[in-house]
Amino acid sequence: MNEMPFTSPADFSAGVASQSPTERAYWFVFQADRLLVELGPPSPHPSGDPRVPSRASWAKLPLLKNNNWLWFEPARTLYLGRLAGTDCWAAEAPREAEAPPPGMGWEGLRALFSVLEDAHFAVAGRAIQLLDWDRSHRFCGRCGTPTEAKTEERSRVCPACKLSAYPRLSPAVMALVRREGEILLGRSPHFPPGMYSALAGFVEPGETLEQCLAREVEEEVGVQVSRIRYFASQPWPFPNSLMIAFICDWVSGEIRPQAGEIEDAKWFKVLQLPKLPSKISIARRLIDAAVQEMREGS
Ligand SMILES: [Zn+2]
């Protein structure tokens, strides 16, 4: 896979209303953060480690004409656009909805990475964010009046005070700090045991991405950096981030992990790296790219 996970597929065109409904449509139905999929049998345990949950050998999206097949009344339904000429719809199941029919199940989105087709996985990331946005903007944030969805663009408008709400993204900067033969990785208290990753933090109002990076690195580990180079970006739907990743060089300072935020941070030799995040996230690609760059001697 070349595309970053959750990147909009090239053959996806977003829309707010279906102009001429297609014969069949893909349904992205969520109950909280879990997606409704047809599931294959569990795959044989890859690691033999009982702590690693077993995964379905395959998962598919329901492909049906309309939502008549649902066994509950959806809390909300949104048109998403078209994927390779097929309409895509999102729907939200109420929490009290009964269990799915045989052969179907609710699966967490992360667990469907590399199980669900990549393009479907990406549109699912869009769907869960838009459902969440729609659910959270039913009332005007300024005056409390119920909002109305616009049909010509993705927004909800307050009929009383005219405030418009658009789907919101929270930009976050990720930084991989390097110096001679080593990279700086840290771990948050919520990481799986032994796993380290690049540093990351949300952009504050008034900051450039470069200022955010310098501030986050200084706050989290107490070092100063320079030569900030853009690497790549990734939509990250947990819950609504855009990750923007950079490589930079250490200039000065000894590692001093920020209490409460960073449990541990260290310089790792590129030939002796700890457990790293999975390839679902840009963090892993950033680390892999930097290590490659350093091994090639640039
Ligand atoms: Zn209002």
Side-chain angles (χ1 to χ4, degrees), residues 140-145 147 158-163:
C140 175
R142 186 195 279 154
C143 76
T145 305
T147 57
C158 171
C161 77
K162 307 298 177 205
L163 180 69

Side-chain angles (χ1 to χ4, degrees), residues 1-3 5-7 9 113-123:
M1 180 171 30
N2 297 315
E3 289 286 347
F6 295 120
T7 303
F113 173 57
S114 77
V115 177
L116 199 62
E117 204 178 298
D118 290 343
H120 296 171
F121 184 74
V123 178

Side-chain angles (χ1 to χ4, degrees), residues 20-130:
S20 51
T22 54
E23 189 62 26
R24 293 188 299 173
Y26 287 116
W27 281 86
F28 297 81
V29 185
F30 280 91
Q31 187 180 48
D33 59 354
R34 296 186 306 158
L35 180 66
L36 182 67
V37 283
E38 290 178 46
L39 284 169
S43 58
H45 235 288
S47 62
D49 182 344
R51 291 168 302 179
V52 179
S54 70
R55 304 212 298 180
S57 48
W58 55 262
K60 278 194 281 197
L61 280 176
L63 178 63
L64 294 144
K65 187 167 172 56
N66 53 42
N67 69 359
N68 290 344
W69 58 281
L70 292 174
W71 64 98
F72 52 82
E73 184 64 34
R76 55 187 31 79
T77 303
L78 293 175
Y79 180 72
L80 298 171
R82 227 166 239 199
L83 178 66
T86 301
D87 278 339
C88 297
W89 289 87
E92 180 187 319
R95 283 183 186 269
E96 63 278 11
E98 284 176 32
M104 302 192 91
W106 301 109
E107 270 296 335
L109 198 50
R110 277 186 174 87
L112 287 169
F113 173 57
S114 77
V115 177
L116 199 62
E117 204 178 298
D118 290 343
H120 296 171
F121 184 74
V123 178
R126 177 185 288 256
I128 193 174
Q129 291 182 79
L130 290 177

